[in-house]
Amino acid sequence: DAGITQSPRHKVTETGTPVTLRCHQTENHRYMYWYRQDPGHGLRLIHYSYGVKDTDKGEVSDGYSVSRSKTEDFLLTLESATSSQTSVYFCAISERSSGDSPLHFGNGTRLTVT
Amino acid sequence: AQSVSQHNHHVILSEAASLELGCNYSYGGTVNLFWYVQYPGQHLQLLLKYFSGDPLVKGIKGFEAEFIKSKFSFNLRKPSVQWSDTAEYFCAVNDQGGKLIFGQGTELSVKP
C-alpha cells in the first residue's frame, strides 16, 4: 500500500466549529486530492493539489478550504462545520493527473457533525 | 461535463454466479477508464484500468472489463464470483480537465 496517512481517523464535532483533516504521504507524489464519500453519490472531489501551494477546486468545494505547504502534507479545513458535511473523507495521491494515472487512497476519516 | 453512471446500485449473487456491472460515461473524447473496489471497512483500491490498446482489460482477482467506445461503456465482469468479492465497486472516468469522476458505486453482496 502507498504510504498515505490520514488523521484523525474519526472525529465528532459540533456545528459551527472549524475542523482540519490532515493527509500525509511518503511517496513524493505531485498530485493530492480530497474526496468525500456519501451513500448514493460515490466519491466526489472537494479540492486537489498539483504541487506545493498549487491547489484548485473540485465539484463540491463550497465550505472547504485546503493548503499544501509541503509536498507531503495536504490539509482540508472545514471553516464552520455543518451537518451536511458529515461524511467519510478520503485523501488520494497520484504521480500524474488523476485522469492519467491510478489514485492511491488513504484509509479515510469519518467525520460526524452534530 | 463528464458524468459516470452505474445502473446497478445493489447486486446480490450466489457464489459461482457470473457478474457483470454496468458503467456508462458521457464524454465522447479520449478517455481513461478505471474500476476501483472498496472492501468493507477499507479504502478504495485499483481493480483495473484502460488507457488504450486492447479494449478487453484484465485486472486483479479474475476481473476483466470491456471498453466499447460506441456505447460509451466500460462494464466489469467476472465469470465466477466468490464470497470474498463482496464489496462496493466504483467506475471512474477522466473528465476534460484530466480529473477523475466517479460513478455512484455498486454494492455487490455474494452469498456463500
Side-chain angles (χ1 to χ4, degrees):
Chain A
D1 281 349
I4 308 169
T5 304
Q6 289 186 235
S7 58
R9 291 296 312 278
H10 301 272
K11 174 82 175 176
V12 180
T13 192
E14 293 184 348
T15 298
T17 59
V19 177
T20 296
L21 308 183
R22 180 178 183 245
C23 178
H24 178 81
Q25 60 143 331
T26 58
E27 305 297 318
N28 201 36
H29 283 353
R30 178 181 173 189
Y31 291 84
M32 299 186 75
Y33 310 83
W34 277 107
Y35 284 89
R36 59 178 290 174
Q37 183 179 22
D38 304 289
H41 292 277
L43 275 81
R44 292 178 292 175
L45 182 64
I46 305 171
H47 281 280
Y48 66 101
S49 170
Y50 45 96
V52 173
K53 296 193 166 107
D54 291 323
T55 65
D56 205 350
K57 296 178 180 180
E59 58 183 309
V60 290
S61 59
D62 288 348
Y64 301 95
S65 62
V66 290
S67 67
R68 190 166 179 202
S69 58
K70 298 185 290 185
T71 298
E72 56 266 35
D73 290 326
F74 192 32
L75 304 180
L76 176 70
T77 298
L78 289 66
E79 305 290 347
S80 176
T82 67
S83 59
S84 64
Q85 294 175 313
T86 292
S87 186
V88 180
Y89 292 84
F90 284 99
C91 174
I93 65 174
S94 65
E95 290 185 80
R96 299 181 298 280
S97 170
S98 62
D100 294 330
S101 65
L103 295 176
H104 302 281
F105 286 86
N107 288 323
T109 294
R110 184 173 295 276
L111 176 67
T112 303
V113 183
T114 61
Chain B
Q2 178 69 277
S3 64
V4 181
S5 180
Q6 294 181 241
H7 308 295
N8 313 106
H9 297 297
H10 191 186
V11 173
I12 302 174
L13 296 173
S14 298
E15 276 194 316
S18 64
L19 169 73
E20 181 160 4
L21 302 182
C23 172
N24 288 90
Y25 60 92
S26 59
Y27 173 58
T30 301
V31 289
N32 295 331
L33 301 146
F34 305 80
W35 275 98
Y36 284 85
V37 59
Q38 185 178 30
Y39 297 103
Q42 297 187 24
H43 58 85
L44 275 78
Q45 305 169 42
L46 181 68
L47 202 53
L48 51 78
K49 64 183 185 293
Y50 172 80
F51 286 177
S52 63
D54 188 343
L56 186 60
V57 180
K58 295 193 183 301
I60 61 171
K61 302 187 180 185
F63 286 91
E64 64 179 31
E66 184 175 14
F67 169 51
I68 303 180
K69 188 173 182 178
S70 61
K71 295 185 178 180
F72 297 84
S73 71
F74 190 55
N75 291 355
L76 181 71
R77 300 196 293 248
K78 186 171 185 179
S80 176
V81 295
Q82 301 173 324
W83 177 79
S84 58
D85 292 325
T86 293
E88 191 158 15
Y89 293 81
F90 294 92
C91 180
V93 184
N94 62 297
D95 70 3
Q96 295 93 315
K99 298 186 294 297
L100 210 53
I101 304 298
F102 285 84
Q104 309 94 314
T106 297
E107 186 178 349
L108 172 66
S109 300
V110 180
K111 297 180 178 179

